[in-house]
């Protein structure tokens, strides 16, 4: 890709002047375990329903901005009012909308690195100061420091499971309460918002649909800054088909869960070769391997396996993130890692 020339960069808004185009570090390979996608895809019994829904959608009409029927179905599923749901062009658009609505100079974001990279990016794009509360040993969030920092912030993002480390954020970090989900607190806290995506469990990363559950007031603030037609009729139709057939996605989700523990055990077995794997509640594992960047290159070039390289991220030195794929894909990545680390 052509870079940003100095002449053009001089015209870019100051908060974006240092940015470069996003690079997903994708290369064509046989085994893709790099982006936490669902390698099972749409369940075979849902695929024709989804195709029909997309075909029959009103392509010539603008979409319903807030996703009429999709919104209603999401609300019914989560037991909230439709006014508490807002859909977006992937979770990423909604995250950006949070910064458009609530960020900016004097509206600090609190974030817990290492975590998902887009929070800092979006914050900087709209001049939002960032207060970082780094994770402690084994990536545990420092809840006391977080609560302290949150007092002066407008936005606090806690990721659960965290990406790329895989651990759940403790519910007691949101309110002093044991457990891991916080959705039942939505009715209680006007300022709590929960972001979901269709990209992982629902295997629709290519469609770009996500949603936020929050109070009607927060949803209205997000609706005020969004691009009205950002979720196409095609995406709405696809997501609606997925939600109304959500039970059909369970077998693949269960298979991924099971294989997460199998993959984790296999990687744990490579400890004598210097491999460390952290527990994960997500569809990926964070692993530390000696010379991670070189290992990442060799997985790609010699074994046609793509994982994600986090080795240059502070706090994630020598770490790779491996998406849990199908059993045969997970076997391949373990075999390849073993061979590379044994110096074969
Ligand atoms: C996947 C993911 C998202 C959202 O992805 P979209 O494809 O934009 O919906 C957001 N946050 C985290 C932590 C994720 O892992």
């Amino acid at each position: 890709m052509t870079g940003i020339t100095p002449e053009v960069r001089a015209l870019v808004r100051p908060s974006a002047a240092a940015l470069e185009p996003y690079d997903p570090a994708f290369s064509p390979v046989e085994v893709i375990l790099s982006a936490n996608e669902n390698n099972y895809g749409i369940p075979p019994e849902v695929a024709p329903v989804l195709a029909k829904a997309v075909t029959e959608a009103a392509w010539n009409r603008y979409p319903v901005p807030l996703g009429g029927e999709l919104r209603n179905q999401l609300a019914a599923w989560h037991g909230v009012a439709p006014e508490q749901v807002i859909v977006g062009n992937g979770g990423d658009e909604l995250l950006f909308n949070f910064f458009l609505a609530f960020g900016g100079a004097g509206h600090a974001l609190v974030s817990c690195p290492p975590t998902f990279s887009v929070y800092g990016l979006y914050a900087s794009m709209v001049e939002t100061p960032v207060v970082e509360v780094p994770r402690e040993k084994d990536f545990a969030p420092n809840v006391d420091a977080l609560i302290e920092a949150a007092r002066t912030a407008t936005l606090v993002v806690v990721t659960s499971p965290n990406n790329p480390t895989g651990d759940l954020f403790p519910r007691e970090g949101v309110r002093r309460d044991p457990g891991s989900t916080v959705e039942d607190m939505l009715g209680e806290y006007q300022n709590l918002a929960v972001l979901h995506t269709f990209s992982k469990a629902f295997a629709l990363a290519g469609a770009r649909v996500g949603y936020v559950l929050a109070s009607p007031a927060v949803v209205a603030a997000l609706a005020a800054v969004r691009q009205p037609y950002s979720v196409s009729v095609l995406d709405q139709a696809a997501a609606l088909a997925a939600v109304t057939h959500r039970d059909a996605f369970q077998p693949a989700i269960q298979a991924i869960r099971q294989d997460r523990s199998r993959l984790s055990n296999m990687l744990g077995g490579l400890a004598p070769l210097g491999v460390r794997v952290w527990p994960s509640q997500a569809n990926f594992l964070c692993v530390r391997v000696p010379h991670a960047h070189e290992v990442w290159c060799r997985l790609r070039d010699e074994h046609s396996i793509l994982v994600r390289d986090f080795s240059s991220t502070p706090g994630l030195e020598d770490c790779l993130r491996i998406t849990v794929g199908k059993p045969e894909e997970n076997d391949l990545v373990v075999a390849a890692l073993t061979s590379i680390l044994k110096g074969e």
Side-chain angles (χ1 to χ4, degrees), residues 1 3 37 64 79 103 142 178 198 215 220 231 235 240 251 271 292 295-296 303:
M1 195 194 304
E37 295 151 339
V64 179
N142 181 342
F198 278 86
S215 64
V231 188
D235 293 339
L240 181 59
V295 169
W296 177 82
H303 299 269

Side-chain angles (χ1 to χ4, degrees), residues 36 89-93 95 116 119 159 161 163 195-200 205 208-210 284:
N36 300 342
N89 188 254
D92 286 356
E93 183 201 18
L95 280 169
F116 203 48
Y119 314 140
T159 311
N163 187 348
L195 175 76
H196 287 274
T197 178
F198 278 86
S199 300
K200 310 325 186 350
R208 311 302 307 127
V209 192
F284 53 83

Side-chain angles (χ1 to χ4, degrees), residues 109-115 130-136 139-153 155-158 162 169:
L109 159 77
V110 173
S111 155
C112 301
T115 189
V130 181
V131 179
E132 297 200 324
V133 179
R135 288 161 185 271
E136 307 198 303
F139 310 123
N142 181 342
V143 172
D144 289 332
L146 196 56
I147 289 172
E148 195 48 43
R151 290 185 205 288
T152 53
L155 281 163
V156 180
V157 179
V158 293
N162 190 44
F169 186 81

